[in-house]
């Protein structure tokens, strides 16, 4: 027994050391990039540079494989559970997977010359499937209930970028961009139910929220349309790579810990279900398999449009 407890303590200490090392490396990368960018900015001949503010928004794709697997497995469990329960009936519903997000960012740009620009951006990535997007209707003993599984992912990237500008005409230019930075991410999930009648409110027996941070890398290309008013317009396509782990948080039962993804077997209805939950210790047991720390993958393509305001 002591050896098992000791082993768990060692595993927890190793996990803590790994997490601290990861955070230290992220801080070093972030500060190094910040120092280099600021050094470049301050060593420039300020009289020869141009400053501008870039504001944009658009849509992007999220690669949330484990999150969507948990959503689909929740639907499968609800259907099969309704089949095996006496006087229960699954009446239907349409559930949407979480693949798309809204992206917004503002970026301070410094044009070193006609070909090279440097930028510092702060952004917001928002992806959600709402209560309405995940409603299932189940009849229990003659009364209809709505079940729902809303899920949300938010992220706040801070990215340092460089631009290579390729003028075509006085009013038109193309550009290539690349950058790196840090992103803070949050994951929210809950499971609700209510009577299927006017005025009834959802009750959420389970819910959780967790957060973490990681690195983000981004590259893309765009086209800029120049106007005489001092406000330019742009259209941009880009790809970002960012896989975030190490989420910590708390669920509705006031359990604080790590966000884990795992499969749990329900012997009553004989089905394996992917779950994402916060646990103080790594899940284990006869009916548990495929345990790993949850990963939120923000990688994907995005398309944005917006304006650039020159100072």
């Amino acid at each position: 027994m002591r050896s098992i407890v000791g082993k768990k303590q060692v595993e927890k200490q190793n996990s803590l050391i790994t997490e601290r090392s990861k955070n230290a490396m992220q801080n070093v990368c972030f500060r190094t990039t910040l120092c280099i960018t600021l050094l470049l900015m301050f060593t420039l001949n300020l009289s020869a540079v141009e400053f501008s503010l870039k504001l944009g928004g658009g849509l992007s794709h999220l690669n949330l494989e484990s999150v969507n697997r948990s959503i689909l497995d929740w639907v499968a469990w609800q259907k099969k559970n309704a089949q095996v329960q006496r006087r229960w009936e699954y009446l239907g519903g349409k559930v949407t997977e979480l693949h798309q997000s809204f992206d917004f960012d503002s970026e301070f740009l410094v044009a070193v010359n006609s070909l090279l620009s440097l930028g510092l951006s702060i952004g917001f990535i928002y992806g959600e499937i709402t209560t309405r997007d995940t409603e299932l209707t189940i009849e229990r003993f003659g009364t209809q209930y709505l079940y729902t599984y809303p899920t949300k992912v938010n992220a706040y990237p801070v990215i340092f970028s460089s631009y290579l500008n390729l003028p075509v005409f006085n009013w038109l230019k193309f550009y290539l961009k690349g950058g790196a930075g840090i992103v803070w991410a949050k994951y929210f999930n809950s499971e609700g139910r209510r009577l299927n009648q006017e005025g009834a409110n959802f009750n959420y027996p389970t819910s959780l929220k967790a957060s973490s941070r990681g690195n983000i890398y981004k590259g893309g290309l765009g086209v800029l349309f120049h106007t005489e008013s001092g406000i330019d317009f742009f259209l941009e396509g880009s790809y970002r790579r960012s896989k975030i782990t190490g989420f910590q948080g708390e669920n509705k039962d006031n359990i604080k810990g790590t966000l884990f993804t795992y499969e749990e077997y329900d012997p009553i209805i004989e089905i394996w279900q992917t779950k994402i939950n916060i646990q103080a210790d790594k899940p284990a047991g006869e009916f548990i398999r495929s345990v790993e720390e949850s990963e939120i993958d923000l990688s994907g393509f995005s398309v944005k449009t917006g304006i650039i305001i020159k100072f």
Side-chain angles (χ1 to χ4, degrees), residues 86-229:
R86 295 183 59 187
R87 299 183 63 189
W88 284 37
E89 184 180 359
Y90 173 76
L91 300 180
K94 184 178 180 180
V95 174
T96 304
E97 296 180 47
L98 182 51
H99 290 295
Q100 202 172 69
S101 70
F102 296 97
D103 284 19
F104 306 94
D105 61 38
S106 59
E107 185 171 13
F108 179 69
L109 293 172
V110 178
V112 180
N113 51 47
S114 61
L115 297 178
L116 179 64
S117 299
L118 301 175
L120 170 61
S121 67
I122 300 175
F124 177 54
I125 301 170
Y126 179 84
E128 179 181 19
I129 50 172
T130 65
T131 297
R132 186 176 295 275
D133 294 327
T134 58
E135 283 185 354
L136 302 179
T137 304
I138 297 176
E139 186 174 276
R140 298 165 49 184
F141 304 102
T143 302
Q144 291 187 12
Y145 291 84
L146 293 178
Y147 290 78
T148 188
Y149 196 77
T151 302
K152 180 168 61 174
V153 173
N154 291 345
Y156 308 87
V158 177
I159 301 176
F160 300 98
S161 302
S162 59
Y163 288 74
L164 176 62
N165 301 306
L166 306 171
V168 180
F169 304 108
N170 291 335
W171 57 273
L172 175 70
K173 72 177 179 182
F174 294 93
Y175 61 84
L176 301 174
K177 63 177 290 188
I182 284 183
V183 58
W184 287 263
K186 295 183 178 181
Y187 173 78
F188 305 86
N189 171 258
S190 58
E191 185 175 346
R193 65 183 177 218
R194 72 170 175 85
L195 285 170
N196 188 13
Q197 63 183 32
E198 190 75 24
N201 296 320
F202 274 101
N203 173 45
Y204 295 94
T206 65
S207 63
L208 64 86
K209 56 182 178 179
S211 61
S212 185
R213 68 179 181 182
N215 298 325
I216 184 169
Y217 307 93
K218 195 170 186 180
L221 55 87
V223 58
L224 185 144
F225 303 93
H226 175 70
T227 67
E228 296 297 334
S229 65

Side-chain angles (χ1 to χ4, degrees), residues 12-79:
K12 185 174 288 188
Q13 289 175 352
N14 291 337
S15 176
L16 184 61
I17 292 172
T18 302
E19 183 64 25
R20 286 177 177 174
S21 300
K22 174 186 171 184
N23 290 336
M25 183 61 69
Q26 290 174 353
N27 286 330
V28 170
C29 294
F30 180 78
R31 291 172 183 174
T32 301
T33 307
L34 175 61
C35 290
I36 293 174
T37 303
L38 292 177
L39 182 61
L40 286 171
M41 288 182 175
F42 284 115
T43 54
L44 296 173
N45 181 2
L46 295 182
S47 62
V49 301
E50 293 183 354
F51 300 96
S52 57
L53 180 64
K54 181 181 179 185
L55 303 172
L59 298 175
S60 69
H61 179 81
L62 299 175
N63 189 24
L64 302 176
E65 181 181 350
S66 60
V67 173
N68 287 319
R69 191 167 66 245
S70 71
I71 295 170
L72 296 178
D73 282 6
W74 173 80
V75 174
W77 186 92
Q78 293 290 353
K79 288 181 179 180

